[in-house]
Amino acid sequence: MNGLVLHGGKIRINRFAWSYLRVTTDFGLQVEFSYQNVGYVYLPYDLKGATSGLCGNFNYDRNDDLVAKNGTDMAYVTDGISHFGNSWHVNDPEEPK
């Protein structure tokens, strides 16, 4: 296991074997990646109902997870999935315009 500690221990990045990476924060968020394009996001229970975005709002109701950043329910919109994803796009401040 190879590890990297950032921001005074607030973020830790660990590599397991050759194909698996885990990012952990000091507030309990874990994001895991494999090099086979599989990712998992784990949140601590105290964030239940306090999230939004591509992974839903963490309230255990799948019927209201597909909501765009502007609040539109994309489940009933033509091409809603691609519009949903694009609605959460964030520009990279370091990317040239």
Side-chain angles (χ1 to χ4, degrees), residues 36-56:
Q36 289 115 4
N37 298 320
V38 176
Y40 299 94
V41 177
Y42 301 96
L43 293 171
Y45 189 76
D46 59 334
L47 291 177
K48 182 179 179 288
T51 65
S52 61
L54 293 175
C55 294

Side-chain angles (χ1 to χ4, degrees), residues 20-81:
Y20 186 78
L21 186 74
R22 179 184 296 147
V23 179
T24 307
T25 68
D26 62 343
F27 61 88
L29 169 70
Q30 285 189 20
V31 180
E32 299 177 354
F33 304 96
S34 78
Y35 293 110
Q36 289 115 4
N37 298 320
V38 176
Y40 299 94
V41 177
Y42 301 96
L43 293 171
Y45 189 76
D46 59 334
L47 291 177
K48 182 179 179 288
T51 65
S52 61
L54 293 175
C55 294
N57 57 21
F58 192 23
N59 68 353
Y60 296 109
D61 181 358
R62 289 183 176 191
N63 296 318
D64 66 358
D65 281 343
L66 201 59
V67 176
K69 191 172 186 177
N70 68 4
T72 302
D73 183 351
M74 302 305 283
Y76 305 103
V77 175
T78 303
D79 296 325
I81 297 295

